[in-house]
Amino acid sequence: MTAPAQRRVRHRRTVTRRRALIAGSAALGITGAALVTTTLLSPAGAATPWPTARGSKAVAQTIEVSGTYDGRLTEFHGTGDLGTDSQDESQGPIFELKDGAVLKNVIIGTPAADGVHCLGSCTLQNVWWLDVGEDAATFKGTSASAVYTVHGGGARNADDKVLQFNGAGKLVVSKFRVENFGKLVRSCGNCKKQYKRTIIVDDVDVTAPGKAIVGVNANYGDTASLRNVRIHGDTRKKTKICVRFRGNSTGKEPTELGTGPDGTTCLFSASDISYD
C-alpha cells in the first residue's frame, strides 16, 4: 500500500483539527485507527516513497491472516506453486485475510502470485507490490456492509488490474501510489455473482503509463468517487479516469459504455484531477 511526526500545536487547535479529520475520514469509510496512522505517515498531497526491505521471505504456501499481521517491511515472494507472475486466474495468493483482518508493513516482491485476497472486510496498511502478478489484491466479501480499506503503500508494473473488486460492499483507497499499470481499481465485469459496489479513491498518485484509474459497472449500480488524484507523466492525458461498463454474470467480456463524470456512476469533477 512508508514520515515525519506532526508539529505539536496548542490543545484547542489540535481538538478542532482532529474533529475535522475524523469527520472527513468517516465520510470516506476510514477507521479511527487508520486515521491516526494517516496523520503520522505523511502530509496530505505527498506521495510516500517506495520502501527499502528489511529482510526477505520465500512463501510456498498461502499465509492465512486473522487479526493483525505486521510484516515489519519484510519482502515476501512466492516459491513453488506460488512462484509465478503469470495472469492465471487460478493462482493462490501470498496472503489470505479473514473477515476483519489487518495486513500492514508488507512488501510483496517477485514472483507475486495473486498477491492478497480479502475474504471479508479487511485493511491493507502500508502494503507495497514491487511487480504485480495477476492482481495485487482481490476483495471477495459477500456482505453489502463489508468495507475494504487500502491505506498507504503502492503498486507498480501491473499488466492489467491492481485492485480487483469481486465482492460486495465498499472499497476505500487513500494515500496510495501506482505506476505502470492497466487499471488501478476494477469492479468485476463478468463474475458469476454480481453486486452493487462502492469505490472511493482519495489522495493518490498515479504515474503513467496507465489505462484507467477506475472501471465500474453502471448496470449494477456501482459508484466511483474520486478526489485529490494526481497524475504524473501523462501530458497527453491518455489515462482514463473512470470507465463505465455494462457488466454481466456470464463470463463474457463486458461492454464499455463511456468515460468521464456522469453524476451517477462516475463522481468527480475536473478540479479533483491534476496533472504534472
Side-chain angles (χ1 to χ4, degrees):
M1 41 50 43
T2 95
Q6 279 192 299
R7 184 178 61 187
R8 180 172 296 177
V9 294
R10 294 184 184 274
H11 180 69
R12 185 180 299 275
R13 291 180 60 194
T14 301
V15 171
T16 301
R17 184 168 183 268
R18 186 179 176 214
R19 286 174 178 165
L21 280 169
I22 291 172
S25 297
L28 293 174
I30 300 175
T31 65
L35 170 63
V36 173
T37 305
T38 304
T39 307
L40 296 177
L41 275 174
S42 61
T48 307
W50 290 93
T52 299
R54 298 177 182 171
S56 179
K57 182 176 181 179
V59 180
Q61 185 174 359
T62 298
I63 299 171
E64 297 184 354
V65 179
S66 57
T68 298
Y69 186 103
D70 187 344
R72 301 182 184 278
L73 288 182
T74 298
E75 182 179 320
F76 297 82
H77 61 273
T79 188
D81 290 343
L82 298 179
T84 175
D85 278 324
S86 75
Q87 294 295 303
D88 185 355
E89 295 282 349
S90 64
Q91 293 179 85
I94 302 293
F95 291 94
E96 182 179 84
L97 276 59
K98 307 300 184 183
D99 186 28
V102 177
L103 181 68
K104 65 180 183 178
N105 302 322
V106 161
I107 301 171
I108 297 180
T110 184
D114 200 26
V116 178
H117 287 184
C118 284
L119 304 184
S121 295
C122 67
T123 298
L124 306 183
Q125 179 181 316
N126 196 33
V127 177
W128 301 84
W129 292 263
L130 303 183
D131 194 343
V132 175
E134 187 207 338
D135 302 317
T138 304
F139 306 99
K140 308 173 77 172
T142 58
S143 171
S145 62
V147 178
Y148 319 93
T149 301
V150 179
H151 181 75
R156 60 190 180 196
N157 303 326
D159 290 339
D160 192 7
K161 303 171 296 294
V162 176
L163 304 175
Q164 175 69 30
F165 196 174
N166 290 352
K170 176 167 64 175
L171 170 61
V172 181
V173 184
S174 62
K175 288 193 175 295
F176 194 77
R177 65 185 298 172
V178 62
E179 303 175 4
N180 186 24
F181 63 102
K183 301 177 184 73
L184 172 55
V185 182
R186 179 63 173 106
S187 175
C188 184
N190 53 14
C191 285
K192 290 182 180 180
K193 177 70 174 177
Q194 290 286 20
Y195 305 92
K196 176 184 182 299
R197 304 177 179 104
T198 300
I199 298 168
I200 297 172
V201 176
D202 179 69
D203 195 8
V204 300
D205 285 270
V206 176
T207 300
K211 293 180 181 178
I213 297 175
V214 178
V216 283
N217 303 314
N219 58 314
Y220 292 124
D222 290 356
T223 61
S225 301
L226 297 97
R227 304 287 184 271
N228 303 312
V229 176
R230 298 171 293 277
I231 302 178
H232 313 286
D234 187 13
T235 56
R236 297 186 179 182
K237 299 184 178 181
K238 290 185 175 182
T239 304
K240 297 177 180 179
I241 308 303
C242 184
V243 185
R244 299 184 298 280
F245 291 91
R246 179 182 294 112
N248 64 74
S249 57
T250 64
K252 294 182 179 180
E253 198 63 28
T255 303
E256 183 174 325
L257 301 175
T259 63
D262 66 345
T264 302
T265 303
C266 293
L267 307 174
F268 67 98
S269 63
S271 62
D272 295 310
I273 314 298
S274 64
Y275 293 84
D276 64 25

